[in-house]
Amino acid sequence: MVEVKSNGLIGQAVKRTEDLRFITGRGQYTDDMSRRQMVYAAMVRSPLAHARIRSVDTSAARAAPGVIAVYTGADMAADKIGGLPCGWAVKNKDGSAQAEPAHPAMQVERVRHVGDHVAVVIAETQAEARAAAELVNVDYEELPVVVDARAALAPGAPQVHAEAPNNLCFDWELGDASAVAAAFSKAAHIVKLDLRNNRLIPNAMEPRSCIGDFDSSTSENTLITASQNPHVIRLLLAAFVFGIPEHKFRVVAPDVGGGFGSKIYPYPEDVIVLWVARKIGRPVKWTATRSEAFLSDAQGRDHYSHVELALDKDANFLGLKVDTIANLGGYLSTFAPAVPTYLYGTLLAGCYRTPAIYVNVKGVFTHTAPVDAYRGAGRPEATFVVERIVEQAARQLKIDPAELRRRNFIPTDGFPYQTPVALTYDTGNYHATLASGLKLADYAGFAARKAEAAKRGKLRGIGISTYIEACGIAPSAVAGALGARAGLFEAATIRVNPTGSVTVLTGSHSHGQGHETTFAQVVADMLGIPMESVEIVHGDTGKIPFGMGTYGSRSLAVGGAAIVNATRKVIDKGRRIAAHLLEASAEDIEFTGGRYVVKGTDRAKAFGEVAFTAYVPHNFPHETEEPGLEESAFYDPKNFTYPAGCHVCELEIDPDTGVVEIVKFSASDDFGRIVNPMIVEGQVHGGLVQGIGQALLENCVYDESGQLLTGSYLDYCMPRADDVPSFQVMTECTPCTHNALGVKGCGEAGAIGSPPAVINAILDALSGLGVTDVPMPATPHVVWSAIRAAKGRQVA
Amino acid sequence: MHTFVYQRATSLADAVAVLKAKPDARPLAGGMTLLPTMKLGLAAPSDLIDLSAIGDLRGIRRNGDRVVIGAMTRHAEVAASAEVRAAIPALASLADGIGDAQVRNRGTLGGSVANSDPAADYPAAVLGLDANVLTDRRTIAADQFFLGMFATALDAGELIRAVEFRVPKRAGYAKFPNPASRYAMVGVLVADYGGSVRVAVTGAGACAFRVPTLEAALGKQFSAAAIEGIEVSASELNTDLHGSAEYRAHLVGVMARRAVAAALG
Ligand SMILES: Cc1cc2nc3c(=O)[nH]c(=O)nc-3n(C[C@H](O)[C@H](O)[C@H](O)COP(=O)(O)OP(=O)(O)OC[C@H]3O[C@@H](n4cnc5c(N)ncnc54)[C@H](O)[C@@H]3O)c2cc1C
């Protein structure tokens, strides 16, 4: 693998070129788009978490003003529209397959969560559709409900799916149980924790929206949808839901206002608008209200874990044992089975050389919205387990938490490192990020700051998290062996236009990440042309050859690598054309600064001249080359990438109210090489805010009857600017060893590393009071209650 | 949202007449509560009677020992008012802490008081500052005004004209915001009228209420120390996702002490 060297643009904090249209309101999101004769859909959703549908009376809705049609689950079943497929098959401990109940886009017989789809109303205007949706009269027979994953496993619990006895989707394991048992038997110390990873609602700024359209004269189907990966949507809907061929099916994901994972998947609404458009012969648009987003976007996290760490007398980690129950919601979302298994269990080694690890995960159905990947997807849950138990061990053994980490890190000369949980880390330097993170945080000066805060009546604490994650998803063969039903490569085309400008077609999808800037930097740098001469095109199956989309911090590490390979093919073909023009042999020509130069001479052809020759091939090597200058590449990564780093949170607690104020947050991250440091910093900031949000503020709560109690911003607490401090961030660099850019990915690290840093800092602040655990989110009430309970214990 | 008739009243009498004629009509102030409720389908009035063109409902003036604020006065106007800042700085700072800039520029005193949201800030001021609520037909003393959650002494179709607050010797307001909504989880207004002290709490119960034990202690000695250790009963207080009744009761004490400290400057 030949590394891409920077010619100046790679590594620059270039301002985001896409922002002009976004901040001047000229972005084109799905809801901004119209089609001729377009009509509107409104969903009729279940108000109950579990019920049998006795009957659906649509007569009043049909008679309402503007209404064109009302369809129910039965209508959809009659048209033989398939259910939403699951993209990942996890195996049980005993080798049997996961339970995989059907997920129809609209229900016929039974609803399984509040917000589940029962019927759709189509009307001339959105207001008419929504008003008429309220007139659909569904007769429900209420059934018992279970929302908590542990309760769902209990004997006698209400059953979500007949196909999943005891609500168990899978009972999965990874690691060597007997090696772990042996490690525990010789341990000097065993540290234990029970942890809950709170459930979150993604809350992308743009609510989901989609438009279905069908042209009966050409049999072309079009779906415009706020999605992170249009090609995968097309593949899944074409093959499994509609049975229509892909060449007659175009999926467009235009400007998309954030996804955080929630827009990876095909949703029932995507199916419904296209199905209805085909039925009525008019385009159909649906846009979620914010309330619908709360009820129906795939949610994140929701684990219960029991963790045990065995250490020897010198505090070396000997073994780690984890039991997790993961809530999957009422239906299997596309990647739901992968998140609490292969994106979670495989990360339990953390940055440490723990020799024996075993994890058992039970994936469980409940009467709640489906749960799937949300920023970090499995890795935040793993990091929370590892970094909380390591901190707990440090406290219990009275060792400085930084020192305990240092003692157990994989040594810097220990790479490649094979973990006991399937992954091979290619490179890293955890000592470096820890050292610079601590320095950034002035860890050494903390005691003085704590004493000063105490004088003001505040409890000050500091907490560390040294996370690792696996990005650049994914080597297809590995993913396939682990149950993925799709490949995870990426595709790119570099189309050089006759006058030398370049159109880049990428299968990655930007929904806030700034690809239009970063990718253009890479291509312009490699070709030695100005960035303005490079246009990035994404998000349209009608334009882009193929793609697997954006999630798992894969865009630059996988999509960018495909772009590099295609660009190199362009450069090589250009070299052969230049050789012809310069009457030299291709081997004697080097490409530098946008020019093909005959080595050791001043004879050269500019890239633009060569491009022009390719399209006006009068003097051209026709014997050996085809005209034109356009190359494609499909890139399948050899390994995951492994960003890692050190987050340090420092905070103060008001013991009177339980209010936590983060006074300083420092992050030293190793993302490998960096193409645009400003964009990376922005990604880190956003991730940190989401991680801090999970730790302190955000919580998705259902009551016992399955009603969503946090169904609006009145009760679901999104982080605001004044909830977080100004971040101190920096990077270290060990370049990724297996992609040409040396990049690892930075999109999720902030959300992965920060929650345990925050909770560890709270526990540090409260350690003097005897508080040993605080659940997430650590709201003022939670913290105050923990303080009060500890005081009660001390009195008793 | 359902269809409705919008009309802009030109005088108080005009508005009262329409409200009388149409039982399902509702007055519209800044719409900060009413419109979201309609969007969520929780209210479906036949008519909205916009009060914003009635000049009499707007404005702030000093009248003896009273500050009189028109019902349609926006929160931002109260927050910025030199009159209010001079007479009752605690009231200006309370108004300045409501919602965000957009809400303060639209939301009104009358709308907030008429709504009696258990978590709204103004009710603490109305009760704590011994106010009178002046309506199109009568004067209602604060102690008789707030009846329960979203319930007031207003009759159907009765309109608030203004609220007159009694100027205290000193006063302070301390708010513990709900982390999500930033409405008051507990807000305490303490007003010292020289010898007698009023302590009004919002956010903690079904509607704003006074705390006689704190008032008595502060009446003897107006200092945070005077109420240290006085326990507020949790029995009638709200429990929800964000805090138990016990937590709210505890916060009433903490916020009362902070309000006293604020009053003492
Ligand atoms: C995002 C957000 C955050 C907020 N945060 C806070 C906060 O922190 N603290 C807080 O206290 N409040 C908060 N509010 C509420 C805000 O303060 C408004 O004052 C309140 O919602 C009332 O709105 P309004 O004045 O626009 O009245 P409307 O919404 O127009 O009316 C409210 C109700 O009062 C009735 N009404 C209006 N005027 C009169 C009148 N003169 N006589 C009789 N009845 C009348 C209406 O018919 C309606 O029933 C918030 C609101 C929003 C949207």
Side-chain angles (χ1 to χ4, degrees), chain B residues 136-157:
Chain B
D136 61 273
R137 61 201 72 167
R138 57 180 167 151
T139 296
I140 309 172
D143 285 317
Q144 272 77 55
F145 186 81
F146 298 105
L147 301 183
M149 197 173 283
F150 300 106
T152 68
L154 291 173
D155 290 334

PDB file of all heavy atoms in Angstrom, chain B residues 136-157:
ATOM      1  N   ASP B 136     -61.746  42.236  32.984  1.00  0.00           N
ATOM      2  CA  ASP B 136     -62.706  43.130  32.341  1.00  0.00           C
ATOM      3  C   ASP B 136     -63.871  43.448  33.261  1.00  0.00           C
ATOM      4  O   ASP B 136     -64.619  44.380  33.026  1.00  0.00           O
ATOM      5  CB  ASP B 136     -63.209  42.489  31.039  1.00  0.00           C
ATOM      6  CG  ASP B 136     -63.913  41.179  31.297  1.00  0.00           C
ATOM      7  OD1 ASP B 136     -63.203  40.144  31.337  1.00  0.00           O
ATOM      8  OD2 ASP B 136     -65.127  41.167  31.492  1.00  0.00           O
ATOM      9  N   ARG B 137     -64.023  42.647  34.352  1.00  0.00           N
ATOM     10  CA  ARG B 137     -65.218  42.859  35.179  1.00  0.00           C
ATOM     11  C   ARG B 137     -64.948  43.013  36.675  1.00  0.00           C
ATOM     12  O   ARG B 137     -65.824  43.366  37.432  1.00  0.00           O
ATOM     13  CB  ARG B 137     -66.214  41.732  34.926  1.00  0.00           C
ATOM     14  CG  ARG B 137     -65.697  40.344  35.264  1.00  0.00           C
ATOM     15  CD  ARG B 137     -66.488  39.248  34.545  1.00  0.00           C
ATOM     16  NE  ARG B 137     -66.180  39.227  33.116  1.00  0.00           N
ATOM     17  CZ  ARG B 137     -66.529  38.233  32.298  1.00  0.00           C
ATOM     18  NH1 ARG B 137     -67.210  37.203  32.733  1.00  0.00           N
ATOM     19  NH2 ARG B 137     -66.203  38.282  31.019  1.00  0.00           N
ATOM     20  N   ARG B 138     -63.743  42.706  37.148  1.00  0.00           N
ATOM     21  CA  ARG B 138     -63.536  42.759  38.604  1.00  0.00           C
ATOM     22  C   ARG B 138     -62.044  42.730  38.919  1.00  0.00           C
ATOM     23  O   ARG B 138     -61.203  42.628  38.015  1.00  0.00           O
ATOM     24  CB  ARG B 138     -64.231  41.588  39.296  1.00  0.00           C
ATOM     25  CG  ARG B 138     -63.747  40.243  38.746  1.00  0.00           C
ATOM     26  CD  ARG B 138     -64.440  39.063  39.422  1.00  0.00           C
ATOM     27  NE  ARG B 138     -64.163  37.848  38.646  1.00  0.00           N
ATOM     28  CZ  ARG B 138     -64.105  36.643  39.187  1.00  0.00           C
ATOM     29  NH1 ARG B 138     -64.299  36.464  40.475  1.00  0.00           N
ATOM     30  NH2 ARG B 138     -63.861  35.592  38.409  1.00  0.00           N
ATOM     31  N   THR B 139     -61.742  42.767  40.223  1.00  0.00           N
ATOM     32  CA  THR B 139     -60.381  42.648  40.703  1.00  0.00           C
ATOM     33  C   THR B 139     -60.278  41.375  41.539  1.00  0.00           C
ATOM     34  O   THR B 139     -61.113  41.151  42.426  1.00  0.00           O
ATOM     35  CB  THR B 139     -60.017  43.864  41.582  1.00  0.00           C
ATOM     36  OG1 THR B 139     -60.058  45.025  40.749  1.00  0.00           O
ATOM     37  CG2 THR B 139     -58.627  43.714  42.185  1.00  0.00           C
ATOM     38  N   ILE B 140     -59.302  40.549  41.226  1.00  0.00           N
ATOM     39  CA  ILE B 140     -59.150  39.297  41.978  1.00  0.00           C
ATOM     40  C   ILE B 140     -57.790  39.340  42.688  1.00  0.00           C
ATOM     41  O   ILE B 140     -56.747  39.527  42.054  1.00  0.00           O
ATOM     42  CB  ILE B 140     -59.190  38.060  41.044  1.00  0.00           C
ATOM     43  CG1 ILE B 140     -60.419  38.116  40.120  1.00  0.00           C
ATOM     44  CG2 ILE B 140     -59.165  36.773  41.864  1.00  0.00           C
ATOM     45  CD1 ILE B 140     -60.449  37.041  39.037  1.00  0.00           C
ATOM     46  N   ALA B 141     -57.814  39.167  43.989  1.00  0.00           N
ATOM     47  CA  ALA B 141     -56.553  39.155  44.745  1.00  0.00           C
ATOM     48  C   ALA B 141     -55.793  37.875  44.438  1.00  0.00           C
ATOM     49  O   ALA B 141     -56.388  36.811  44.226  1.00  0.00           O
ATOM     50  CB  ALA B 141     -56.847  39.241  46.238  1.00  0.00           C
ATOM     51  N   ALA B 142     -54.472  37.990  44.437  1.00  0.00           N
ATOM     52  CA  ALA B 142     -53.632  36.834  44.082  1.00  0.00           C
ATOM     53  C   ALA B 142     -53.970  35.610  44.926  1.00  0.00           C
ATOM     54  O   ALA B 142     -54.026  34.492  44.413  1.00  0.00           O
ATOM     55  CB  ALA B 142     -52.161  37.193  44.248  1.00  0.00           C
ATOM     56  N   ASP B 143     -54.220  35.838  46.195  1.00  0.00           N
ATOM     57  CA  ASP B 143     -54.483  34.692  47.066  1.00  0.00           C
ATOM     58  C   ASP B 143     -55.745  33.927  46.656  1.00  0.00           C
ATOM     59  O   ASP B 143     -55.921  32.787  47.033  1.00  0.00           O
ATOM     60  CB  ASP B 143     -54.575  35.142  48.527  1.00  0.00           C
ATOM     61  CG  ASP B 143     -53.185  35.450  49.101  1.00  0.00           C
ATOM     62  OD1 ASP B 143     -52.256  34.657  48.822  1.00  0.00           O
ATOM     63  OD2 ASP B 143     -53.027  36.474  49.788  1.00  0.00           O
ATOM     64  N   GLN B 144     -56.609  34.590  45.914  1.00  0.00           N
ATOM     65  CA  GLN B 144     -57.826  33.899  45.458  1.00  0.00           C
ATOM     66  C   GLN B 144     -57.737  33.448  43.998  1.00  0.00           C
ATOM     67  O   GLN B 144     -58.662  32.852  43.473  1.00  0.00           O
ATOM     68  CB  GLN B 144     -59.047  34.835  45.580  1.00  0.00           C
ATOM     69  CG  GLN B 144     -59.740  34.793  46.921  1.00  0.00           C
ATOM     70  CD  GLN B 144     -58.959  35.585  47.959  1.00  0.00           C
ATOM     71  OE1 GLN B 144     -58.677  36.755  47.752  1.00  0.00           O
ATOM     72  NE2 GLN B 144     -58.582  34.924  49.049  1.00  0.00           N
ATOM     73  N   PHE B 145     -56.613  33.750  43.323  1.00  0.00           N
ATOM     74  CA  PHE B 145     -56.604  33.587  41.869  1.00  0.00           C
ATOM     75  C   PHE B 145     -56.244  32.170  41.400  1.00  0.00           C
ATOM     76  O   PHE B 145     -56.911  31.596  40.552  1.00  0.00           O
ATOM     77  CB  PHE B 145     -55.642  34.598  41.235  1.00  0.00           C
ATOM     78  CG  PHE B 145     -55.693  34.583  39.728  1.00  0.00           C
ATOM     79  CD1 PHE B 145     -56.707  35.271  39.059  1.00  0.00           C
ATOM     80  CD2 PHE B 145     -54.780  33.849  38.979  1.00  0.00           C
ATOM     81  CE1 PHE B 145     -56.790  35.237  37.677  1.00  0.00           C
ATOM     82  CE2 PHE B 145     -54.864  33.814  37.597  1.00  0.00           C
ATOM     83  CZ  PHE B 145     -55.870  34.513  36.935  1.00  0.00           C
ATOM     84  N   PHE B 146     -55.156  31.614  41.944  1.00  0.00           N
ATOM     85  CA  PHE B 146     -54.680  30.318  41.421  1.00  0.00           C
ATOM     86  C   PHE B 146     -55.397  29.187  42.152  1.00  0.00           C
ATOM     87  O   PHE B 146     -55.273  29.042  43.362  1.00  0.00           O
ATOM     88  CB  PHE B 146     -53.162  30.192  41.592  1.00  0.00           C
ATOM     89  CG  PHE B 146     -52.410  31.243  40.831  1.00  0.00           C
ATOM     90  CD1 PHE B 146     -51.835  32.326  41.482  1.00  0.00           C
ATOM     91  CD2 PHE B 146     -52.305  31.165  39.448  1.00  0.00           C
ATOM     92  CE1 PHE B 146     -51.158  33.310  40.778  1.00  0.00           C
ATOM     93  CE2 PHE B 146     -51.625  32.150  38.729  1.00  0.00           C
ATOM     94  CZ  PHE B 146     -51.048  33.227  39.396  1.00  0.00           C
ATOM     95  N   LEU B 147     -56.143  28.388  41.393  1.00  0.00           N
ATOM     96  CA  LEU B 147     -56.979  27.366  42.026  1.00  0.00           C
ATOM     97  C   LEU B 147     -56.424  25.958  41.862  1.00  0.00           C
ATOM     98  O   LEU B 147     -56.790  25.050  42.590  1.00  0.00           O
ATOM     99  CB  LEU B 147     -58.403  27.429  41.459  1.00  0.00           C
ATOM    100  CG  LEU B 147     -59.119  28.776  41.637  1.00  0.00           C
ATOM    101  CD1 LEU B 147     -60.549  28.685  41.111  1.00  0.00           C
ATOM    102  CD2 LEU B 147     -59.119  29.221  43.098  1.00  0.00           C
ATOM    103  N   GLY B 148     -55.563  25.751  40.897  1.00  0.00           N
ATOM    104  CA  GLY B 148     -55.056  24.395  40.679  1.00  0.00           C
ATOM    105  C   GLY B 148     -54.304  24.344  39.379  1.00  0.00           C
ATOM    106  O   GLY B 148     -54.007  25.381  38.771  1.00  0.00           O
ATOM    107  N   MET B 149     -53.998  23.115  38.943  1.00  0.00           N
ATOM    108  CA  MET B 149     -53.232  22.946  37.721  1.00  0.00           C
ATOM    109  C   MET B 149     -54.032  23.502  36.536  1.00  0.00           C
ATOM    110  O   MET B 149     -55.151  23.048  36.295  1.00  0.00           O
ATOM    111  CB  MET B 149     -52.945  21.458  37.533  1.00  0.00           C
ATOM    112  CG  MET B 149     -51.846  21.188  36.553  1.00  0.00           C
ATOM    113  SD  MET B 149     -51.396  19.446  36.521  1.00  0.00           S
ATOM    114  CE  MET B 149     -50.420  19.293  37.996  1.00  0.00           C
ATOM    115  N   PHE B 150     -53.510  24.500  35.853  1.00  0.00           N
ATOM    116  CA  PHE B 150     -54.190  25.156  34.732  1.00  0.00           C
ATOM    117  C   PHE B 150     -55.578  25.656  35.120  1.00  0.00           C
ATOM    118  O   PHE B 150     -56.444  25.773  34.263  1.00  0.00           O
ATOM    119  CB  PHE B 150     -54.287  24.223  33.513  1.00  0.00           C
ATOM    120  CG  PHE B 150     -52.942  23.776  33.003  1.00  0.00           C
ATOM    121  CD1 PHE B 150     -52.495  22.481  33.215  1.00  0.00           C
ATOM    122  CD2 PHE B 150     -52.111  24.657  32.327  1.00  0.00           C
ATOM    123  CE1 PHE B 150     -51.242  22.077  32.760  1.00  0.00           C
ATOM    124  CE2 PHE B 150     -50.872  24.253  31.860  1.00  0.00           C
ATOM    125  CZ  PHE B 150     -50.433  22.959  32.088  1.00  0.00           C
ATOM    126  N   ALA B 151     -55.797  25.928  36.396  1.00  0.00           N
ATOM    127  CA  ALA B 151     -57.122  26.389  36.843  1.00  0.00           C
ATOM    128  C   ALA B 151     -56.966  27.694  37.623  1.00  0.00           C
ATOM    129  O   ALA B 151     -56.136  27.795  38.517  1.00  0.00           O
ATOM    130  CB  ALA B 151     -57.788  25.334  37.713  1.00  0.00           C
ATOM    131  N   THR B 152     -57.804  28.681  37.230  1.00  0.00           N
ATOM    132  CA  THR B 152     -57.771  29.976  37.918  1.00  0.00           C
ATOM    133  C   THR B 152     -59.193  30.392  38.269  1.00  0.00           C
ATOM    134  O   THR B 152     -60.164  29.721  37.891  1.00  0.00           O
ATOM    135  CB  THR B 152     -57.183  31.072  37.008  1.00  0.00           C
ATOM    136  OG1 THR B 152     -58.106  31.302  35.940  1.00  0.00           O
ATOM    137  CG2 THR B 152     -55.839  30.675  36.435  1.00  0.00           C
ATOM    138  N   ALA B 153     -59.288  31.528  38.964  1.00  0.00           N
ATOM    139  CA  ALA B 153     -60.608  32.041  39.342  1.00  0.00           C
ATOM    140  C   ALA B 153     -61.323  32.733  38.183  1.00  0.00           C
ATOM    141  O   ALA B 153     -62.447  33.193  38.340  1.00  0.00           O
ATOM    142  CB  ALA B 153     -60.447  33.005  40.511  1.00  0.00           C
ATOM    143  N   LEU B 154     -60.670  32.808  37.032  1.00  0.00           N
ATOM    144  CA  LEU B 154     -61.313  33.480  35.890  1.00  0.00           C
ATOM    145  C   LEU B 154     -62.550  32.703  35.449  1.00  0.00           C
ATOM    146  O   LEU B 154     -62.526  31.474  35.377  1.00  0.00           O
ATOM    147  CB  LEU B 154     -60.340  33.561  34.705  1.00  0.00           C
ATOM    148  CG  LEU B 154     -59.133  34.489  34.814  1.00  0.00           C
ATOM    149  CD1 LEU B 154     -58.227  34.286  33.600  1.00  0.00           C
ATOM    150  CD2 LEU B 154     -59.574  35.946  34.942  1.00  0.00           C
ATOM    151  N   ASP B 155     -63.615  33.445  35.135  1.00  0.00           N
ATOM    152  CA  ASP B 155     -64.803  32.799  34.560  1.00  0.00           C
ATOM    153  C   ASP B 155     -64.579  32.578  33.068  1.00  0.00           C
ATOM    154  O   ASP B 155     -63.680  33.180  32.469  1.00  0.00           O
ATOM    155  CB  ASP B 155     -66.026  33.707  34.725  1.00  0.00           C
ATOM    156  CG  ASP B 155     -66.459  33.800  36.183  1.00  0.00           C
ATOM    157  OD1 ASP B 155     -66.177  32.835  36.938  1.00  0.00           O
ATOM    158  OD2 ASP B 155     -67.035  34.836  36.557  1.00  0.00           O
ATOM    159  N   ALA B 156     -65.434  31.757  32.488  1.00  0.00           N
ATOM    160  CA  ALA B 156     -65.338  31.553  31.043  1.00  0.00           C
ATOM    161  C   ALA B 156     -65.485  32.907  30.352  1.00  0.00           C
ATOM    162  O   ALA B 156     -66.382  33.683  30.698  1.00  0.00           O
ATOM    163  CB  ALA B 156     -66.423  30.586  30.589  1.00  0.00           C
ATOM    164  N   GLY B 157     -64.621  33.197  29.447  1.00  0.00           N
ATOM    165  CA  GLY B 157     -64.725  34.440  28.685  1.00  0.00           C
ATOM    166  C   GLY B 157     -64.237  35.674  29.431  1.00  0.00           C
ATOM    167  O   GLY B 157     -64.304  36.775  28.905  1.00  0.00           O
TER     168      GLY B 157
END
